[in-house]
């Protein structure tokens, strides 16, 4: 089986789209402030109700993988069908700084993690890493859910199917 065959088969599995965020603290207390980091993910799922656990798959060596290896607090915003532009913005390779990507987005800072939560998201979760599992070229990050909210009931979920963002009909 080739990578292309595997990719084509898996593209037939519809997935919800989330924005994973974390706050990268400053390297030096005397230096410039920290930075908010974000990435689009489609490999995200609920793992357990008791305790409440979720899982996100991160490309090994990505900025988010490196950050969550050092810093255990992060958040997830479940994107609505009207937030396709946010998903695309944070999925770009070779993109501009995350600070500029967040600049015009309505966000609040989570009380439990300090991570940004996107306004208008269908649901938000704040998490603390419980376990990291290397799996091929990805890291599976299992997080304990510290807070969960449903800030918006408007619209349906943003999904990813056959290589494109879609909405439910």
């Amino acid at each position: 089986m080739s990578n292309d065959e595997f990719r084509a088969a898996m593209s037939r599995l519809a997935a919800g789209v989330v924005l994973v965020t974390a706050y990268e603290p400053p390297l030096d207390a005397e230096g410039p402030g920290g930075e908010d980091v974000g990435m689009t993910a489609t490999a995200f799922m609920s793992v357990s109700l008791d305790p409440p656990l979720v899982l996100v798959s991160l490309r090994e060596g990505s900025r988010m993988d490196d950050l969550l290896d050092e810093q255990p607090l992060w958040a997830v915003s479940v994107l609505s069908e009207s937030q396709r532009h946010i998903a695309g913005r944070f999925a770009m390779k070779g993109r501009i700084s995350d600070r500029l990507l967040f600049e015009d987005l309505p966000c609040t800072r989570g009380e439990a993690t300090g991570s940004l939560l996107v306004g208008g998201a269908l649901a938000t979760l704040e998490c603390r890493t419980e376990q990291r599992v290397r799996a091929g070229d990805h890291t599976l990050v299992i997080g304990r859910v510290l807070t969960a909210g449903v800030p918006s009931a408007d619209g349906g979920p943003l999904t990813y199917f056959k290589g494109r963002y879609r909405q439910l009909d």
Side-chain angles (χ1 to χ4, degrees):
M1 174 192 60
S2 71
N3 287 352
D4 288 340
E5 289 169 324
F6 180 64
R7 185 176 286 120
M10 294 311 298
S11 76
R12 291 343 191 240
L13 176 64
V17 182
V18 301
L19 183 68
V20 180
T21 57
Y23 180 73
E24 183 172 34
L27 292 175
D28 179 1
E30 303 293 320
E35 186 174 2
D36 294 299
V37 178
M39 65 157 269
T40 302
T42 56
F44 175 79
M45 63 183 280
S46 169
V47 173
S48 169
L49 183 60
D50 186 19
L53 299 173
V54 294
L55 177 147
V56 65
S57 180
L58 307 174
R59 185 176 42 80
E60 187 178 347
S62 67
R63 183 172 183 197
M64 188 64 75
D65 181 37
D66 292 343
L67 176 55
L68 295 188
D69 191 32
E70 297 175 14
Q71 203 279 88
L73 299 174
W74 45 286
V76 173
S77 298
V78 179
L79 299 180
S80 73
E81 59 195 4
S82 67
Q83 295 177 313
R84 178 184 305 214
H85 65 288
I86 297 171
R89 179 185 293 194
F90 285 92
M92 288 187 300
K93 289 181 170 46
R95 62 186 193 230
I96 58 175
S97 88
D98 285 13
R99 179 181 49 81
L100 295 175
L101 296 178
F102 280 114
E103 203 166 62
D104 64 345
L105 290 183
C107 293
T108 58
R109 197 163 294 283
E111 291 182 22
T113 64
S115 302
L116 292 180
L117 303 168
V118 177
L122 295 178
T124 58
L125 305 164
E126 291 185 88
C127 306
R128 181 184 66 241
T129 300
E130 292 276 309
Q131 187 175 1
R132 292 172 53 88
V133 179
R134 289 198 50 191
D137 59 0
H138 277 64
T139 304
L140 306 178
V141 179
I142 300 169
R144 181 180 294 257
V145 179
L146 305 173
T147 70
V150 183
S152 177
D154 294 339
L158 181 62
T159 59
Y160 193 73
F161 180 70
K162 291 173 76 174
R164 292 185 32 215
Y165 297 117
R166 308 199 186 233
Q167 45 190 87
L168 296 180
D169 292 330

